[in-house]
PDB file of all heavy atoms in Angstrom:
ATOM      1  N   ALA A   2      97.510  82.668 106.276  1.00  0.00           N
ATOM      2  CA  ALA A   2      98.289  81.430 106.342  1.00  0.00           C
ATOM      3  C   ALA A   2      98.325  80.798 104.964  1.00  0.00           C
ATOM      4  O   ALA A   2      97.322  80.700 104.270  1.00  0.00           O
ATOM      5  CB  ALA A   2      97.664  80.467 107.350  1.00  0.00           C
ATOM      6  N   PRO A  45     105.926  86.641  95.589  1.00  0.00           N
ATOM      7  CA  PRO A  45     106.560  87.875  96.071  1.00  0.00           C
ATOM      8  C   PRO A  45     105.614  89.061  96.093  1.00  0.00           C
ATOM      9  O   PRO A  45     105.727  89.931  96.957  1.00  0.00           O
ATOM     10  CB  PRO A  45     107.716  88.094  95.090  1.00  0.00           C
ATOM     11  CG  PRO A  45     107.360  87.294  93.880  1.00  0.00           C
ATOM     12  CD  PRO A  45     106.567  86.130  94.361  1.00  0.00           C
ATOM     13  N   LEU A  64     109.706 103.119 103.490  1.00  0.00           N
ATOM     14  CA  LEU A  64     109.848 101.703 103.167  1.00  0.00           C
ATOM     15  C   LEU A  64     108.543 101.153 102.599  1.00  0.00           C
ATOM     16  O   LEU A  64     108.544 100.361 101.649  1.00  0.00           O
ATOM     17  CB  LEU A  64     110.255 100.918 104.413  1.00  0.00           C
ATOM     18  CG  LEU A  64     110.401  99.403 104.235  1.00  0.00           C
ATOM     19  CD1 LEU A  64     111.435  99.073 103.166  1.00  0.00           C
ATOM     20  CD2 LEU A  64     110.772  98.745 105.557  1.00  0.00           C
ATOM     21  N   LEU A  68     108.052  99.170  98.996  1.00  0.00           N
ATOM     22  CA  LEU A  68     107.487  97.826  98.950  1.00  0.00           C
ATOM     23  C   LEU A  68     106.203  97.784  98.131  1.00  0.00           C
ATOM     24  O   LEU A  68     105.959  96.819  97.398  1.00  0.00           O
ATOM     25  CB  LEU A  68     107.225  97.331 100.372  1.00  0.00           C
ATOM     26  CG  LEU A  68     108.485  97.019 101.196  1.00  0.00           C
ATOM     27  CD1 LEU A  68     108.124  96.749 102.647  1.00  0.00           C
ATOM     28  CD2 LEU A  68     109.231  95.833 100.610  1.00  0.00           C
ATOM     29  N   GLU A  71     107.327  97.830  94.497  1.00  0.00           N
ATOM     30  CA  GLU A  71     107.889  96.543  94.088  1.00  0.00           C
ATOM     31  C   GLU A  71     106.791  95.489  93.969  1.00  0.00           C
ATOM     32  O   GLU A  71     106.765  94.704  93.024  1.00  0.00           O
ATOM     33  CB  GLU A  71     108.937  96.089  95.109  1.00  0.00           C
ATOM     34  CG  GLU A  71     110.197  96.937  95.146  1.00  0.00           C
ATOM     35  CD  GLU A  71     111.020  96.807  93.877  1.00  0.00           C
ATOM     36  OE1 GLU A  71     110.952  95.746  93.224  1.00  0.00           O
ATOM     37  OE2 GLU A  71     111.723  97.765  93.529  1.00  0.00           O
ATOM     38  N   ALA A  89      96.383  90.252  97.341  1.00  0.00           N
ATOM     39  CA  ALA A  89      97.257  91.392  97.056  1.00  0.00           C
ATOM     40  C   ALA A  89      96.434  92.607  96.642  1.00  0.00           C
ATOM     41  O   ALA A  89      96.668  93.730  97.113  1.00  0.00           O
ATOM     42  CB  ALA A  89      98.255  91.025  95.954  1.00  0.00           C
ATOM     43  N   ALA A 144      77.726 109.297 103.603  1.00  0.00           N
ATOM     44  CA  ALA A 144      76.618 109.561 102.689  1.00  0.00           C
ATOM     45  C   ALA A 144      75.482 110.263 103.411  1.00  0.00           C
ATOM     46  O   ALA A 144      75.430 110.295 104.635  1.00  0.00           O
ATOM     47  CB  ALA A 144      76.127 108.245 102.072  1.00  0.00           C
ATOM     48  N   ALA A 166      83.262  81.799 105.943  1.00  0.00           N
ATOM     49  CA  ALA A 166      84.442  81.870 106.811  1.00  0.00           C
ATOM     50  C   ALA A 166      84.451  80.743 107.842  1.00  0.00           C
ATOM     51  O   ALA A 166      83.438  80.461 108.481  1.00  0.00           O
ATOM     52  CB  ALA A 166      84.505  83.220 107.510  1.00  0.00           C
ATOM     53  N   VAL A 171      89.078  85.985 110.650  1.00  0.00           N
ATOM     54  CA  VAL A 171      88.241  86.618 109.634  1.00  0.00           C
ATOM     55  C   VAL A 171      86.772  86.550 110.032  1.00  0.00           C
ATOM     56  O   VAL A 171      86.035  87.544 109.932  1.00  0.00           O
ATOM     57  CB  VAL A 171      88.474  85.962 108.257  1.00  0.00           C
ATOM     58  CG1 VAL A 171      87.473  86.498 107.240  1.00  0.00           C
ATOM     59  CG2 VAL A 171      89.895  86.228 107.767  1.00  0.00           C
ATOM     60  N   ARG A 172      86.334  85.389 110.497  1.00  0.00           N
ATOM     61  CA  ARG A 172      84.933  85.254 110.914  1.00  0.00           C
ATOM     62  C   ARG A 172      84.599  86.211 112.052  1.00  0.00           C
ATOM     63  O   ARG A 172      83.522  86.831 112.066  1.00  0.00           O
ATOM     64  CB  ARG A 172      84.640  83.807 111.328  1.00  0.00           C
ATOM     65  CG  ARG A 172      83.172  83.569 111.652  1.00  0.00           C
ATOM     66  CD  ARG A 172      82.882  82.105 111.969  1.00  0.00           C
ATOM     67  NE  ARG A 172      81.470  81.928 112.219  1.00  0.00           N
ATOM     68  CZ  ARG A 172      80.553  81.764 111.283  1.00  0.00           C
ATOM     69  NH1 ARG A 172      80.929  81.747 110.000  1.00  0.00           N
ATOM     70  NH2 ARG A 172      79.278  81.606 111.589  1.00  0.00           N
ATOM     71  N   GLN A 176      81.803  89.186 112.000  1.00  0.00           N
ATOM     72  CA  GLN A 176      80.765  89.330 113.025  1.00  0.00           C
ATOM     73  C   GLN A 176      80.712  90.773 113.532  1.00  0.00           C
ATOM     74  O   GLN A 176      79.636  91.376 113.647  1.00  0.00           O
ATOM     75  CB  GLN A 176      81.053  88.389 114.209  1.00  0.00           C
ATOM     76  CG  GLN A 176      80.773  86.929 113.944  1.00  0.00           C
ATOM     77  CD  GLN A 176      79.328  86.552 114.281  1.00  0.00           C
ATOM     78  OE1 GLN A 176      78.432  87.361 114.140  1.00  0.00           O
ATOM     79  NE2 GLN A 176      79.130  85.320 114.709  1.00  0.00           N
ATOM     80  N   ASN A 188      68.362  97.057 113.722  1.00  0.00           N
ATOM     81  CA  ASN A 188      68.220  95.728 114.327  1.00  0.00           C
ATOM     82  C   ASN A 188      69.196  95.626 115.496  1.00  0.00           C
ATOM     83  O   ASN A 188      70.236  94.954 115.416  1.00  0.00           O
ATOM     84  CB  ASN A 188      68.483  94.645 113.284  1.00  0.00           C
ATOM     85  CG  ASN A 188      68.103  93.258 113.770  1.00  0.00           C
ATOM     86  OD1 ASN A 188      67.905  93.034 114.978  1.00  0.00           O
ATOM     87  ND2 ASN A 188      67.997  92.320 112.842  1.00  0.00           N
ATOM     88  N   GLU A 193      73.697  93.609 118.772  1.00  0.00           N
ATOM     89  CA  GLU A 193      74.361  93.415 120.063  1.00  0.00           C
ATOM     90  C   GLU A 193      74.833  91.975 120.220  1.00  0.00           C
ATOM     91  O   GLU A 193      75.940  91.728 120.714  1.00  0.00           O
ATOM     92  CB  GLU A 193      73.420  93.780 121.206  1.00  0.00           C
ATOM     93  CG  GLU A 193      74.072  93.661 122.571  1.00  0.00           C
ATOM     94  CD  GLU A 193      73.256  94.297 123.675  1.00  0.00           C
ATOM     95  OE1 GLU A 193      72.206  94.910 123.379  1.00  0.00           O
ATOM     96  OE2 GLU A 193      73.672  94.192 124.843  1.00  0.00           O
ATOM     97  N   VAL A 197      78.793  91.215 120.785  1.00  0.00           N
ATOM     98  CA  VAL A 197      79.266  90.539 122.002  1.00  0.00           C
ATOM     99  C   VAL A 197      80.042  89.279 121.646  1.00  0.00           C
ATOM    100  O   VAL A 197      81.095  88.984 122.234  1.00  0.00           O
ATOM    101  CB  VAL A 197      78.075  90.215 122.931  1.00  0.00           C
ATOM    102  CG1 VAL A 197      78.508  89.303 124.068  1.00  0.00           C
ATOM    103  CG2 VAL A 197      77.483  91.507 123.492  1.00  0.00           C
ATOM    104  N   TYR A 210      92.123  94.224 117.092  1.00  0.00           N
ATOM    105  CA  TYR A 210      91.387  94.871 116.005  1.00  0.00           C
ATOM    106  C   TYR A 210      89.905  94.516 116.114  1.00  0.00           C
ATOM    107  O   TYR A 210      89.039  95.388 116.094  1.00  0.00           O
ATOM    108  CB  TYR A 210      91.938  94.433 114.652  1.00  0.00           C
ATOM    109  CG  TYR A 210      91.288  95.090 113.461  1.00  0.00           C
ATOM    110  CD1 TYR A 210      91.863  96.189 112.851  1.00  0.00           C
ATOM    111  CD2 TYR A 210      90.098  94.606 112.938  1.00  0.00           C
ATOM    112  CE1 TYR A 210      91.265  96.798 111.754  1.00  0.00           C
ATOM    113  CE2 TYR A 210      89.485  95.197 111.849  1.00  0.00           C
ATOM    114  CZ  TYR A 210      90.076  96.284 111.259  1.00  0.00           C
ATOM    115  OH  TYR A 210      89.474  96.885 110.177  1.00  0.00           O
ATOM    116  N   TRP A 217      83.318  99.565 119.624  1.00  0.00           N
ATOM    117  CA  TRP A 217      82.737 100.723 118.932  1.00  0.00           C
ATOM    118  C   TRP A 217      81.266 100.466 118.587  1.00  0.00           C
ATOM    119  O   TRP A 217      80.401 101.316 118.795  1.00  0.00           O
ATOM    120  CB  TRP A 217      83.552 101.006 117.676  1.00  0.00           C
ATOM    121  CG  TRP A 217      82.962 102.042 116.762  1.00  0.00           C
ATOM    122  CD1 TRP A 217      82.577 103.302 117.080  1.00  0.00           C
ATOM    123  CD2 TRP A 217      82.701 101.887 115.365  1.00  0.00           C
ATOM    124  NE1 TRP A 217      82.105 103.958 115.964  1.00  0.00           N
ATOM    125  CE2 TRP A 217      82.173 103.111 114.904  1.00  0.00           C
ATOM    126  CE3 TRP A 217      82.878 100.854 114.468  1.00  0.00           C
ATOM    127  CZ2 TRP A 217      81.812 103.315 113.571  1.00  0.00           C
ATOM    128  CZ3 TRP A 217      82.534 101.049 113.136  1.00  0.00           C
ATOM    129  CH2 TRP A 217      81.999 102.265 112.704  1.00  0.00           C
ATOM    130  N   HIS A 225      72.194 104.571 120.736  1.00  0.00           N
ATOM    131  CA  HIS A 225      70.846 104.490 120.172  1.00  0.00           C
ATOM    132  C   HIS A 225      69.812 104.178 121.256  1.00  0.00           C
ATOM    133  O   HIS A 225      68.659 104.617 121.175  1.00  0.00           O
ATOM    134  CB  HIS A 225      70.790 103.408 119.088  1.00  0.00           C
ATOM    135  CG  HIS A 225      71.357 103.826 117.778  1.00  0.00           C
ATOM    136  ND1 HIS A 225      70.846 104.865 117.028  1.00  0.00           N
ATOM    137  CD2 HIS A 225      72.413 103.348 117.073  1.00  0.00           C
ATOM    138  CE1 HIS A 225      71.559 105.015 115.929  1.00  0.00           C
ATOM    139  NE2 HIS A 225      72.510 104.105 115.924  1.00  0.00           N
ATOM    140  N   ILE A 246      96.886  99.245 118.833  1.00  0.00           N
ATOM    141  CA  ILE A 246      97.246  98.530 117.597  1.00  0.00           C
ATOM    142  C   ILE A 246      97.751  99.473 116.516  1.00  0.00           C
ATOM    143  O   ILE A 246      98.034  99.047 115.402  1.00  0.00           O
ATOM    144  CB  ILE A 246      96.051  97.711 117.064  1.00  0.00           C
ATOM    145  CG1 ILE A 246      94.888  98.614 116.672  1.00  0.00           C
ATOM    146  CG2 ILE A 246      95.612  96.670 118.092  1.00  0.00           C
ATOM    147  CD1 ILE A 246      93.726  97.865 116.039  1.00  0.00           C
ATOM    148  N   LEU A 257      86.025 110.353 117.012  1.00  0.00           N
ATOM    149  CA  LEU A 257      84.902 111.208 116.607  1.00  0.00           C
ATOM    150  C   LEU A 257      83.606 110.737 117.261  1.00  0.00           C
ATOM    151  O   LEU A 257      82.805 111.554 117.750  1.00  0.00           O
ATOM    152  CB  LEU A 257      84.770 111.171 115.082  1.00  0.00           C
ATOM    153  CG  LEU A 257      83.727 112.105 114.467  1.00  0.00           C
ATOM    154  CD1 LEU A 257      84.020 113.555 114.821  1.00  0.00           C
ATOM    155  CD2 LEU A 257      83.684 111.934 112.954  1.00  0.00           C
ATOM    156  N   GLU A 299      98.843 105.828  94.052  1.00  0.00           N
ATOM    157  CA  GLU A 299      97.959 106.161  92.943  1.00  0.00           C
ATOM    158  C   GLU A 299      98.738 106.324  91.646  1.00  0.00           C
ATOM    159  O   GLU A 299      98.314 105.858  90.586  1.00  0.00           O
ATOM    160  CB  GLU A 299      97.199 107.445  93.270  1.00  0.00           C
ATOM    161  CG  GLU A 299      96.174 107.856  92.226  1.00  0.00           C
ATOM    162  CD  GLU A 299      95.001 106.898  92.124  1.00  0.00           C
ATOM    163  OE1 GLU A 299      94.933 105.941  92.916  1.00  0.00           O
ATOM    164  OE2 GLU A 299      94.164 107.097  91.235  1.00  0.00           O
ATOM    165  N   ALA A 304     100.547 104.333  86.394  1.00  0.00           N
ATOM    166  CA  ALA A 304     101.684 103.982  85.549  1.00  0.00           C
ATOM    167  C   ALA A 304     101.606 102.541  85.067  1.00  0.00           C
ATOM    168  O   ALA A 304     101.891 102.243  83.901  1.00  0.00           O
ATOM    169  CB  ALA A 304     102.992 104.202  86.318  1.00  0.00           C
ATOM    170  N   ASP A 317     108.573  96.717  71.593  1.00  0.00           N
ATOM    171  CA  ASP A 317     109.315  97.188  70.426  1.00  0.00           C
ATOM    172  C   ASP A 317     110.755  97.470  70.827  1.00  0.00           C
ATOM    173  O   ASP A 317     111.026  98.130  71.821  1.00  0.00           O
ATOM    174  CB  ASP A 317     108.659  98.473  69.902  1.00  0.00           C
ATOM    175  CG  ASP A 317     109.228  98.920  68.574  1.00  0.00           C
ATOM    176  OD1 ASP A 317     110.404  98.625  68.282  1.00  0.00           O
ATOM    177  OD2 ASP A 317     108.497  99.595  67.827  1.00  0.00           O
ATOM    178  N   ILE A 411     115.332 123.202  79.953  1.00  0.00           N
ATOM    179  CA  ILE A 411     115.187 121.890  80.588  1.00  0.00           C
ATOM    180  C   ILE A 411     115.882 121.884  81.948  1.00  0.00           C
ATOM    181  O   ILE A 411     115.338 121.414  82.946  1.00  0.00           O
ATOM    182  CB  ILE A 411     115.767 120.783  79.681  1.00  0.00           C
ATOM    183  CG1 ILE A 411     114.933 120.641  78.410  1.00  0.00           C
ATOM    184  CG2 ILE A 411     115.841 119.450  80.429  1.00  0.00           C
ATOM    185  CD1 ILE A 411     115.563 119.742  77.365  1.00  0.00           C
ATOM    186  N   HIS A 418     111.461 121.917  89.706  1.00  0.00           N
ATOM    187  CA  HIS A 418     110.369 120.931  89.836  1.00  0.00           C
ATOM    188  C   HIS A 418     110.229 120.459  91.287  1.00  0.00           C
ATOM    189  O   HIS A 418     111.212 120.373  92.030  1.00  0.00           O
ATOM    190  CB  HIS A 418     110.657 119.738  88.926  1.00  0.00           C
ATOM    191  CG  HIS A 418     109.520 118.786  88.798  1.00  0.00           C
ATOM    192  ND1 HIS A 418     108.311 119.139  88.249  1.00  0.00           N
ATOM    193  CD2 HIS A 418     109.399 117.476  89.156  1.00  0.00           C
ATOM    194  CE1 HIS A 418     107.509 118.104  88.261  1.00  0.00           C
ATOM    195  NE2 HIS A 418     108.130 117.088  88.811  1.00  0.00           N
ATOM    196  N   THR A 421     108.947 115.984  95.515  1.00  0.00           N
ATOM    197  CA  THR A 421     108.458 115.330  96.733  1.00  0.00           C
ATOM    198  C   THR A 421     107.679 114.047  96.468  1.00  0.00           C
ATOM    199  O   THR A 421     107.878 113.046  97.176  1.00  0.00           O
ATOM    200  CB  THR A 421     107.599 116.320  97.548  1.00  0.00           C
ATOM    201  OG1 THR A 421     108.387 117.474  97.860  1.00  0.00           O
ATOM    202  CG2 THR A 421     107.124 115.682  98.845  1.00  0.00           C
ATOM    203  N   ALA A 428     114.556 114.266 100.988  1.00  0.00           N
ATOM    204  CA  ALA A 428     115.646 113.945 100.057  1.00  0.00           C
ATOM    205  C   ALA A 428     116.066 115.190  99.287  1.00  0.00           C
ATOM    206  O   ALA A 428     115.266 116.103  99.040  1.00  0.00           O
ATOM    207  CB  ALA A 428     115.199 112.856  99.094  1.00  0.00           C
ATOM    208  N   ARG A 429     117.345 115.221  98.898  1.00  0.00           N
ATOM    209  CA  ARG A 429     117.854 116.333  98.102  1.00  0.00           C
ATOM    210  C   ARG A 429     117.325 116.212  96.675  1.00  0.00           C
ATOM    211  O   ARG A 429     117.472 115.171  96.041  1.00  0.00           O
ATOM    212  CB  ARG A 429     119.379 116.324  98.085  1.00  0.00           C
ATOM    213  CG  ARG A 429     119.984 117.521  97.376  1.00  0.00           C
ATOM    214  CD  ARG A 429     121.488 117.565  97.568  1.00  0.00           C
ATOM    215  NE  ARG A 429     122.138 116.418  96.971  1.00  0.00           N
ATOM    216  CZ  ARG A 429     123.444 116.169  97.084  1.00  0.00           C
ATOM    217  NH1 ARG A 429     124.194 116.951  97.826  1.00  0.00           N
ATOM    218  NH2 ARG A 429     123.971 115.116  96.500  1.00  0.00           N
ATOM    219  N   ALA A 458     130.584 120.102  81.801  1.00  0.00           N
ATOM    220  CA  ALA A 458     129.580 120.596  82.747  1.00  0.00           C
ATOM    221  C   ALA A 458     129.706 119.886  84.090  1.00  0.00           C
ATOM    222  O   ALA A 458     129.558 120.498  85.149  1.00  0.00           O
ATOM    223  CB  ALA A 458     128.177 120.397  82.162  1.00  0.00           C
ATOM    224  N   ILE A 466     124.987 123.886  81.913  1.00  0.00           N
ATOM    225  CA  ILE A 466     125.126 123.404  80.546  1.00  0.00           C
ATOM    226  C   ILE A 466     126.456 123.886  79.979  1.00  0.00           C
ATOM    227  O   ILE A 466     126.981 124.936  80.388  1.00  0.00           O
ATOM    228  CB  ILE A 466     123.950 123.850  79.651  1.00  0.00           C
ATOM    229  CG1 ILE A 466     123.997 125.359  79.399  1.00  0.00           C
ATOM    230  CG2 ILE A 466     122.625 123.438  80.241  1.00  0.00           C
ATOM    231  CD1 ILE A 466     123.017 125.812  78.331  1.00  0.00           C
TER     232      ILE A 466
END
Side-chain angles (χ1 to χ4, degrees):
L64 178 58
L68 290 171
E71 292 292 332
V171 173
R172 185 176 182 83
Q176 286 271 32
N188 191 345
E193 183 168 356
V197 170
Y210 183 97
W217 172 53
H225 281 298
I246 63 176
L257 185 59
E299 184 67 4
D317 189 332
I411 293 170
H418 190 63
T421 302
R429 185 172 64 185
I466 69 170

